[in-house]
Amino acid sequence: MTDKKLVELIKNGRHSRALSKLYKIYPAVVKHVKQSGGSLSDAEDVFQDAMVIFIEKAMKKDFELTASITTYVFGICKNLVFEKRREHQKDRLRNSSLGNEEDYKSIEDFLEEERRFQALDKVLIETGKKCLELLKMFYYDKLSMKTIAQRLGFKGETSAKTQKYKCIEKARNLTESVLIHSKNQSL
Amino acid sequence: MRPELEEIKYIEDYLLNKLSPEQKGEFEKRVKSDPEFAQKVKLQKVLLKRVNRLSLKHTVAQAHRKHTQRNTFMFKRNKNFFKSFISLILVLVVAYLIYLSDQEVNEQKNELDSLKQIPVAESVLKQKIDNLKETPFRFPIENSLGNKYEVNKIYSTNKSNNNIIKGIEIYNSSPPVSSFTDTIISIGHGYAMAFVENNLTMYYKHKNSYIKTVFYNCDTVLCKAGDFINKGQAIATFGRNSRSLHVEMSKEKFDAKKNDEVEFIDPAMIMPVK
């Protein structure tokens, strides 16, 4: 499969399919992480994060592939390893030789966001599994309300829709309280 | 829908870019003038982003699990295949060696021994045994060789931790002879139930009870599971591997309930031990 087709797959939301191709890069990443002193679980974390970063990036409308996907993903992984170690050592020096400035920023943003919303994610997952499933189906899987209603056993499309808005309301209230109680109040 | 929910729908439509340009302009105007509304929009935007991020992470984790599982499976399968191949060869070699060394012995062995001994269900034997004539039990060894036997009791503890007699040990105490075998003889009319790992189980009847008798340490069995056995008939031999024969007996009343505990009895109570 060409890189272009892979990006098409991601843009069309067929992430599982794309991931099965993307995992061909995984062994090389494991090797790299181990060589730079990391463990297998470090490599697992780095690669999974890199997959999230890459897919989110590829889904953006203005995304343009400037190198092969392998190089691209490997670059993200390298930066992640570096960034995570820097975080660990609290060393604030930036290594400018790693990738271009913009890629670097997206990785920093990603890690920053993950940190900031950790508490929120936990609450979302724990308190509203059913709601989260519904929201996932609608926003991420982009299923029609009819299909969602069928899969989750709602009486009809309307009641599924109402439930969805209720879920958002509930989640929004949760988000508010969590964000106010956590140290990071800014959004 | 409640007005709160209508508002959520309104914000969602904006975030998903479903509003017309005019509506969009109106929406953005409100955000600028209404800080409370702006905060709601911000929260909902964060929420939508997190739902998408969490969903994607979930998909990635699933792919990861699938990938790593498949790989370990393939690795294991290869390793296992190799292992099982080697062990198969080993087993074949060992089996052939055993076959060669045991061929003579096997030829001497009673034909019945090599027959598959499939245990007979107790319920089947119970029906058959009901019509049996009851005779007093006898000692299970025919002392034709002039051997001396010592009989010792085998003790055990039951569920309530009391000492009970579970059976007897019949020990051939005569001076060792290079090769001797003793014959075990049926203590009464009954049925052979099973022969498993050198242990022969017989089924008898005694005073409104079923008596299950197990002879441990037999060498060769002379009957088949399910056979009707007359009192005094030879049922097995012992003495080649062990000089002592263990006899255990348990009693089950004809009208026993399912959950009743198996009751061991002292063989000396119902059969002569000399």
Side-chain angles (χ1 to χ4, degrees):
Chain A
M1 188 180 283
T2 63
D3 283 2
K4 221 179 162 185
K5 275 188 182 166
L6 231 165
V7 173
E8 270 314 294
L9 268 185
I10 293 171
K11 280 194 191 293
N12 292 335
R14 300 176 65 190
H15 296 167
S16 296
R17 182 93 204 283
L19 279 163
S20 68
K21 305 281 171 199
L22 286 166
Y23 257 89
K24 279 183 185 148
I25 315 167
Y26 181 60
V29 171
V30 172
K31 205 174 157 191
H32 169 76
V33 171
K34 280 189 173 170
Q35 270 171 358
S36 46
S39 66
L40 178 66
S41 75
D42 288 340
E44 285 182 323
D45 286 349
V46 161
F47 194 74
Q48 290 188 52
D49 282 354
M51 287 296 102
V52 174
I53 293 170
F54 178 69
I55 290 173
E56 279 186 356
K57 245 177 150 0
M59 279 172 78
K60 282 186 180 148
K61 269 181 194 154
D62 55 353
F63 175 76
E64 247 181 81
L65 202 59
T66 46
S68 79
I69 286 181
T70 310
T71 314
Y72 204 99
V73 170
F74 212 86
I76 295 175
C77 288
K78 271 184 180 167
N79 279 322
L80 268 171
V81 171
F82 177 73
E83 188 62 29
K84 281 189 177 177
R85 189 170 307 146
R86 195 189 67 162
E87 206 175 83
H88 191 64
Q89 294 168 343
K90 294 196 172 160
D91 170 12
R92 289 288 160 194
L93 280 171
R94 180 175 289 192
N95 186 338
S96 56
S97 67
L98 288 166
N100 66 48
E101 203 67 7
E102 206 215 311
D103 285 347
Y104 196 88
K105 196 146 187 335
S106 70
I107 288 158
E108 238 183 0
D109 286 349
F110 171 82
L111 292 173
E112 173 64 26
E113 236 176 72
E114 285 299 298
R115 255 196 312 276
R116 201 195 304 167
F117 295 117
Q118 222 173 23
L120 168 66
D121 288 353
K122 243 187 194 165
V123 173
L124 274 180
I125 291 167
E126 277 171 18
T127 54
K129 256 187 181 166
K130 238 185 182 172
C131 270
L132 200 60
E133 185 69 12
L134 201 163
L135 296 177
K136 174 182 180 281
M137 282 180 172
F138 182 75
Y139 290 124
Y140 177 75
D141 299 321
K142 298 195 167 51
L143 300 173
S144 71
M145 280 323 280
K146 204 179 163 188
T147 319
I148 295 173
Q150 269 172 359
R151 284 204 196 165
L152 294 181
F154 287 103
K155 274 176 196 162
E157 223 176 304
T158 326
S159 61
K161 248 183 200 165
T162 314
Q163 185 57 44
K164 188 188 77 190
Y165 294 128
K166 277 184 189 165
C167 280
I168 294 172
E169 189 184 34
K170 187 181 158 195
R172 206 174 63 182
N173 292 340
L174 271 171
T175 312
E176 206 164 19
S177 63
V178 167
L179 291 184
I180 285 167
H181 286 104
S182 71
K183 283 169 196 164
N184 303 295
Q185 286 191 24
S186 61
L187 287 174
Chain B
M1 269 199 303
R2 282 188 278 133
E4 292 94 337
L5 296 186
E6 289 287 357
E7 195 184 68
I8 287 170
K9 183 183 182 304
Y10 182 45
I11 298 173
E12 187 190 89
D13 285 345
Y14 171 76
L15 292 174
L16 296 179
N17 225 349
K18 281 181 183 168
L19 296 181
S20 67
E22 298 100 70
Q23 283 173 316
K24 213 174 157 184
E26 211 177 287
F27 186 95
E28 276 157 7
K29 229 193 227 165
R30 197 176 156 193
V31 169
K32 269 178 198 155
S33 61
D34 185 346
E36 207 181 304
F37 182 69
Q39 176 68 8
K40 280 179 187 167
V41 176
K42 241 182 186 175
L43 274 169
Q44 203 163 320
K45 197 175 170 185
V46 167
L47 194 74
L48 199 148
K49 223 179 159 183
R50 287 322 289 176
V51 167
N52 274 329
R53 171 71 59 82
L54 281 175
S55 305
L56 178 57
K57 276 170 110 178
H58 180 74
T59 309
V60 170
Q62 260 182 339
H64 186 82
R65 225 172 297 138
K66 225 163 126 189
H67 177 82
T68 45
Q69 254 171 18
R70 191 173 49 218
N71 277 9
T72 43
F73 176 65
M74 271 161 71
F75 180 64
K76 268 187 193 161
R77 192 170 53 181
N78 287 342
K79 229 178 161 183
N80 279 346
F81 174 72
F82 206 69
K83 256 193 207 162
S84 49
F85 185 68
I86 287 179
S87 41
L88 182 71
I89 288 179
L90 271 176
V91 165
L92 283 175
V93 169
V94 171
Y96 185 62
L97 288 176
I98 290 173
Y99 172 73
L100 284 182
S101 66
D102 256 25
Q103 220 171 7
E104 282 174 56
V105 182
N106 277 340
E107 275 165 10
Q108 290 170 4
K109 261 194 172 177
N110 194 306
E111 250 186 23
L112 287 162
D113 216 3
S114 61
L115 284 174
K116 274 263 182 288
Q117 292 274 350
I118 300 157
V120 177
E122 229 164 300
S123 54
V124 175
L125 294 180
K126 275 176 187 169
Q127 281 179 359
K128 287 185 176 177
I129 233 162
D130 281 342
N131 313 317
L132 277 185
K133 208 179 106 191
E134 212 175 303
T135 49
F137 292 152
R138 54 155 293 161
F139 192 62
I141 306 278
E142 179 90 271
N143 199 351
S144 55
L145 300 165
N147 288 333
K148 279 181 190 160
Y149 294 99
E150 267 174 39
V151 177
N152 302 308
K153 290 185 192 306
I154 303 170
Y155 293 94
S156 179
T157 50
N158 63 5
K159 267 190 186 164
S160 27
N161 232 4
N162 297 323
N163 264 328
I164 52 152
I165 296 163
K166 186 179 173 189
I168 51 168
E169 179 206 35
I170 302 169
Y171 180 67
N172 185 336
S173 59
S174 35
V177 190
S178 59
S179 167
F180 73 91
T181 47
D182 283 341
T183 314
I184 306 164
I185 276 161
S186 182
I187 58 171
H189 299 318
Y191 284 90
M193 188 177 166
F195 184 68
V196 181
E197 288 177 346
N198 288 1
N199 307 323
L200 173 66
T201 308
M202 298 290 298
Y203 217 70
Y204 298 109
K205 157 166 130 173
H206 179 76
K207 283 184 185 162
N208 298 327
S209 300
Y210 300 110
I211 308 287
K212 208 200 256 179
T213 309
V214 188
F215 298 95
Y216 290 91
N217 308 332
C218 301
D219 292 327
T220 307
V221 69
L222 305 172
C223 56
K224 272 209 312 271
D227 279 356
F228 167 66
I229 310 290
N230 270 313
K231 184 179 170 183
Q233 190 181 329
I235 47 177
T237 65
F238 90 99
R240 193 166 71 209
N241 299 320
S242 163
R243 298 198 74 182
S244 69
L245 171 74
H246 284 207
V247 184
E248 280 182 14
M249 279 187 179
S250 54
K251 181 168 105 176
E252 189 194 338
K253 290 203 173 109
F254 285 166
D255 53 355
K257 282 167 201 113
K258 260 194 176 172
N259 295 331
D260 281 359
E261 208 191 322
V262 181
E263 191 189 350
F264 283 108
I265 52 164
D266 181 0
M269 302 279 283
I270 54 171
M271 83 182 183
V273 291
K274 273 287 167 186

